[in-house]
Amino acid sequence: MTELSQNYQNLKNALKACSQQSVHAVNLLAVSKTQDLKRVSECAALGQTAFGENYVQEAVIKIQALQNLTLQWHLIGPLQSNKCKIVAEHFDWVQTVDRPKIIDGLDQYRPHNLHPLNVLIQVNIDNEPGKSGCSVDQITALAEQIMQKPRLRLRGLMAIPNPDASANGVAFSRMQEIFTELRSRYTGIDTLSMGMSDDYPIAIAHGANLIRIGTALFGPRKHQ
Ligand SMILES: *Cc1c(COP(=O)(O)O)cnc(C)c1O
């Protein structure tokens, strides 16, 4: 067994245990930033289909090279508005939607031969200065704007809580409340993306159903 397949099995087992305790299914997003094509293909061969990337150029190379594997690609890094076109043309999901200009750009450039782009609103839940994500009081306006866009499909929320706050679950718990509220207001809201290698069990306990895992799957990143 390779280290990757061992990690994958361990993670799958841990996820199963967490999701049984919390009584909801949890999906795994494999965060493949800095991993080369070979590592991504190895992971895909284990049965993983959803991959998360932070850097647009790096991602597009992988998406194109691995086209025949029919993987699902999520952008989880900050999005500059001048990258909306290339992102809308290549990704299946964008988890980092946090301002009106990005919504307009993604909708404008999503090609008509592809399904509407799945989007999550990223929330800066701990109001950390300099961090991507909208504030809690901006969520409603952004959700309304996305709902008007034919080429976008709002699926839910994403957050990267401050590690100190996540230790006691406060940020995760607030996200869960906000997500429940959003879901009661619109149809089609089904995804709460939070939890990474160090904090996914507590995120799942607070309703996360998509966790983003890099290190616990691929091992420590060598660069970036
Ligand atoms: C890198 C990254 C992850 C994965 O982090 P690990 O701690 O390696 O699991 C998850 N989410 C985002 C937004 C990231 O940038």
Side-chain angles (χ1 to χ4, degrees):
M1 232 189 205
T2 64
E3 198 187 327
L4 180 61
S5 68
Q6 187 67 64
N7 288 348
Y8 189 66
Q9 275 320 316
N10 292 346
L11 207 47
K12 282 284 180 177
N13 293 338
L15 277 191
K16 210 184 215 168
C18 286
S19 62
Q20 272 162 1
Q21 270 172 9
S22 317
V23 209
H24 67 280
V26 179
N27 291 312
L28 172 65
L29 183 71
V31 175
S32 47
K33 63 180 170 213
T34 80
Q35 307 298 335
D36 62 20
L37 285 173
K38 189 167 159 285
R39 296 282 281 167
V40 179
S41 329
E42 276 170 21
C43 190
L46 299 171
Q48 179 63 26
T49 53
F51 289 85
E53 289 280 341
N54 291 61
Y55 312 104
V56 175
Q57 297 314 342
E58 178 192 339
V60 168
I61 292 169
K62 293 179 197 176
I63 293 170
Q64 287 176 331
L66 300 173
Q67 249 170 9
N68 57 334
L69 296 180
T70 59
L71 304 175
Q72 193 188 74
W73 294 93
H74 295 229
L75 181 70
I76 60 170
L79 176 53
Q80 294 166 273
S81 55
N82 63 357
K83 299 264 172 67
C84 280
K85 183 167 188 287
I86 189 166
V87 165
E89 287 171 348
H90 290 89
F91 283 84
D92 302 293
W93 288 66
V94 176
Q95 297 202 6
T96 49
V97 170
D98 63 359
R99 57 197 193 278
K101 199 172 176 189
I102 294 293
I103 296 171
D104 287 338
L106 291 174
D107 178 66
Q108 179 186 351
Y109 291 116
R110 181 64 172 175
H112 283 264
N113 61 322
L114 300 178
H115 62 76
L117 185 65
N118 296 296
V119 300
L120 302 180
I121 297 172
Q122 182 181 357
V123 184
N124 181 359
I125 189 66
D126 294 310
N127 292 314
E128 293 174 85
K131 191 154 172 176
S132 315
C134 69
S135 62
V136 170
D137 59 13
Q138 292 169 328
I139 297 172
T140 303
L142 294 177
E144 284 296 328
Q145 190 192 351
I146 295 166
M147 286 293 164
Q148 309 297 315
K149 301 293 189 191
R151 305 302 301 144
L152 303 181
R153 195 170 155 211
L154 181 61
R155 300 291 295 269
L157 302 173
M158 180 272 218
I160 313 169
N162 180 302
D164 299 334
S166 59
N168 57 25
V170 170
F172 287 137
S173 158
R174 286 192 65 213
M175 284 300 299
Q176 182 174 30
E177 278 170 33
I178 298 164
F179 177 69
T180 305
E181 225 271 295
L182 189 74
R183 203 172 39 184
S184 72
R185 207 143 21 103
Y186 301 106
T187 54
I189 306 295
D190 58 7
T191 304
L192 180 55
S193 169
M194 54 186 199
M196 320 202 301
S197 293
D198 287 336
D199 58 11
Y200 70 85
I202 183 159
I204 293 171
H206 291 286
N209 59 14
L210 181 60
I211 58 163
R212 310 178 306 265
I213 304 292
T215 310
L217 183 57
F218 293 107
R221 283 181 288 276
K222 289 175 197 76
H223 52 92
Q224 282 181 327

